[in-house]
Amino acid sequence: SQTIHQWPATLVQPVGSPLSLECTVEGTSNPNLYWYRQAAGRGLQLLFYSVGIGQISSEVPQNLSASRPQDRQFILSSKKLLLSDSGFYLCAWRGPGNTIYFGEGSWLTVV
Amino acid sequence: QQQVKQSPQSLIVQKGGISIINCAYENTAFDYFPWYQQFPGKGPALLIAIRPDVSEKKEGRFTISFNKSAKQFSLHIMDSQPGDSATYFCAASWEGFQKLVFGTGTRLLVSP
């Protein structure tokens, strides 16, 4: 069966520090991968998606970047965090029939 | 055209009542309409989904009603329970489209 893991689960970072969130999917090959952000009590904002290794599409101009160095690995990064980067970050993959499956999420607080 | 409009933003229902959440779309290319359930601090999880070849799909207490001509679909939760208290998102997509378009979410509270 397919599983998705993302880490760390919780992160508190100072303004101006770098960020790296990692996500891996197991049990499938060449999946579409996604990074979403959810502000407290708000909806799901698609940040990046990838249809293959090295292929990244950016949905919204951000202080963030994404990379896909391996087939089942998706990384969200920032060189210098802003207060507005705080939120709940969700990695997801697309399964059969367009179904999207989410990870457990990573809480980022920028202080 | 890529938007999915969801209402209401929040909903309070008494235990045992029916919860109804509505979504509307414009893009007639959409052919896949899932609903997701999200508990606080967790990632959204697929609850139920429908394709436009049927007008209704039921799984336990959860039913999707789909009106193709009106370009609307809704989630009905029968016999709502406190454990159903969560945020619900509708979404839409079509085969070949790389993304899901999500509604803005409905926060449901089922009072005991």
Side-chain angles (χ1 to χ4, degrees), chain A residues 28-50:
Chain A
T28 186
S29 61
N30 198 32
N32 280 15
L33 297 173
Y34 306 84
W35 279 111
Y36 287 84
R37 178 170 62 198
Q38 189 173 30
R42 304 294 294 274
L44 299 160
Q45 180 187 31
L46 179 62
L47 301 176
F48 302 94
Y49 71 94
S50 171

Side-chain angles (χ1 to χ4, degrees), chain A residues 32 34 36 38 41-44 46 49 51 59 88 90 94 97-100 102-104 107, chain B residues 32 36 38 41-46 51 89 93-100 102-104 107:
Chain A
N32 280 15
Y34 306 84
Y36 287 84
Q38 189 173 30
R42 304 294 294 274
L44 299 160
L46 179 62
Y49 71 94
V51 300
E59 287 294 296
F88 189 45
L90 290 154
R94 191 177 78 166
N98 267 8
T99 300
I100 288 195
F102 288 88
E104 286 297 302
W107 283 102
Chain B
Y32 174 64
Y36 284 79
Q38 184 181 27
K42 302 292 185 182
L46 179 67
R51 296 193 183 272
F89 293 94
S93 186
W94 73 83
E95 189 64 38
F97 188 50
Q98 305 295 347
K99 299 172 282 188
L100 276 179
F102 282 94
T104 50
R107 187 176 295 182

Side-chain angles (χ1 to χ4, degrees), chain B residues 29-80:
Chain B
F30 287 144
D31 65 2
Y32 174 64
F33 303 91
W35 284 89
Y36 284 79
Q37 180 187 54
Q38 184 181 27
F39 293 107
K42 302 292 185 182
L46 179 67
L47 184 63
I48 186 173
I50 197 170
R51 296 193 183 272
D53 53 342
V54 297
S55 60
E56 186 176 281
K57 183 174 181 179
K58 184 176 181 178
E59 290 184 4
R61 296 185 294 109
F62 300 90
T63 300
I64 298 180
S65 297
F66 182 78
N67 187 329
K68 188 173 182 178
S69 61
K71 290 184 284 187
Q72 294 176 348
F73 59 109
S74 59
L75 176 69
H76 295 235
I77 306 174
M78 312 300 289
D79 187 26
S80 298

Side-chain angles (χ1 to χ4, degrees), chain A residues 1-7 22-29 31-33 71-74 91-96 100-104:
Chain A
S1 64
Q2 299 88 0
T3 56
I4 181 169
H5 305 280
Q6 62 175 109
W7 67 93
E22 293 196 32
C23 172
T24 59
V25 180
E26 298 176 0
T28 186
S29 61
N32 280 15
L33 297 173
D71 180 37
R72 290 171 289 174
Q73 184 184 27
F74 205 22
C91 182
W93 67 282
R94 191 177 78 166
I100 288 195
Y101 299 93
F102 288 88
E104 286 297 302

